[in-house]
Amino acid sequence: MSVNSNSLVLLGVGDVGPIHEPMEAYSALARPVLASADIRFAQCERVYSERGALQVHSAGGHSRVKPPLASVFTDCGFDVVSVASNHAMDWGEDALLDTIALMESKGIKTAGGGRNLAEARRPAIIEKKGIRVAFLAYCSILNEGYAAGPNKPGIAPLRAHTYYRSVDYQAGVPPKVVTIPYEEDLADMVSDIAAAKATADAVIVSLHWGIHFVPRLIADYQTTAAKAAFAAGADMILGHHAHAPKAIGVHGGKTCFYSLSNFMMSSTSKTPAAAVAFEKKYGVKLDPDYPHLAYGEDGKRSLIAKAVITKAGVQKTSFLPVLIDKQLRPEVLKKGDARFDDAVRFMNWASEDFDHRFVVEGDEVVVSGAAPA
């Protein structure tokens, strides 16, 4: 996929962290496509450790898995991962630090977590073909105590306040939900991006954020943070957490993938009562053909973000439509396949409220701002 010797190709995917073996099966269909890139990025959705204790306020009992299951990351050849997930501290500090150490032992760089806030905010740097790419990662979905501190392990935070604004004079009319990034977290992210841009040719920002399961819904703070990141020098944003694809928006000529969705994931299946409760809470149906991908019927849709990077930064962005099959293997779709066309239609629908223009070129969909009127 490399364009020439003066550029490199980055492929970025969303959540990775299946809990059902065998691990090597998950990458069977996507591995050749991933192997053609120069740099591969993923979001690490689990912790890999035998240590730690489940935090009392966490519902993430499934989020700690045995270290050998991390082989899925080497099977795919990932070069860098974000560990800044909402589950990263479910089992406490030891499990997070074990995960970081395990990834590094496999030659995989990590971003977004560490022994203190300075480490969590530190970029992961990859240099290939003389092109230096910095990766920063933050999480907006944090339980109390999950954020790193000056002397405390944890995750680089990008938290948000939630307010409710009345939209009608009649009592009982649902209010507008307003979300605003924490000023200090936003300032830290902006500072980190500017510092990274001073030493790197491109800065890729990974954000674990947003509202899961519900299609199209984007919180206010996400667009605020995206625009601030781009203004500070970020070249592209890779978003995840939602377990479904969401909008692709172009801000000032730069591309934000608000959610890349699942990539290689599995989950515990829901009981009939739990499935009914899920559908009532989120207004999203589960797919009975995917009992171990219990994230909603769009959870099987996925994207691979692609960027062509030179010394001058990201020159081109696109996406590869992906559909996860019933064996939970992501399949990269090809032009001419009706499923490819359906994926492009879905992404246009999901992105309606954002500046975007999608043009199919070969088996990829090139992203740009809307054409001038």
Side-chain angles (χ1 to χ4, degrees), residues 233-258:
D235 291 273
M236 184 170 69
I237 293 173
L238 302 177
H240 26 77
H241 168 68
H243 296 296
K246 293 212 181 185
I248 299 172
V250 177
H251 302 285
K254 299 179 180 181
T255 303
C256 176
F257 293 90
Y258 279 92

Side-chain angles (χ1 to χ4, degrees), residues 111-234:
R115 292 172 294 180
N116 50 54
L117 184 57
E119 280 195 4
R121 292 172 54 191
R122 184 179 302 160
I125 304 293
I126 295 182
E127 187 165 349
K128 290 190 174 182
K129 299 182 181 180
I131 300 170
R132 186 175 172 89
V133 184
F135 293 83
L136 291 160
Y138 306 86
C139 184
S140 301
I141 318 297
L142 294 175
N143 280 316
E144 187 68 29
Y146 282 27
N151 299 296
K152 174 189 171 300
I155 298 305
L158 181 65
R159 295 161 290 195
H161 300 284
T162 302
Y163 303 99
Y164 303 94
R165 179 183 299 155
S166 175
V167 296
D168 197 284
Y169 69 95
Q170 302 173 93
V173 173
K176 175 179 173 56
V177 179
V178 178
T179 55
I180 300 172
Y182 281 29
E183 287 185 10
E184 62 272 29
D185 291 354
L186 189 65
D188 283 349
M189 181 190 73
V190 165
S191 174
D192 296 343
I193 293 169
K197 189 66 173 178
T199 63
D201 300 306
V203 178
I204 310 301
V205 178
S206 166
L207 296 173
H208 205 68
W209 61 351
I211 301 162
H212 58 188
F213 312 136
V214 184
R216 283 173 58 107
L217 186 58
I218 303 291
D220 295 342
Y221 79 89
Q222 294 181 263
T223 54
T224 301
K227 291 175 181 178
F230 289 137

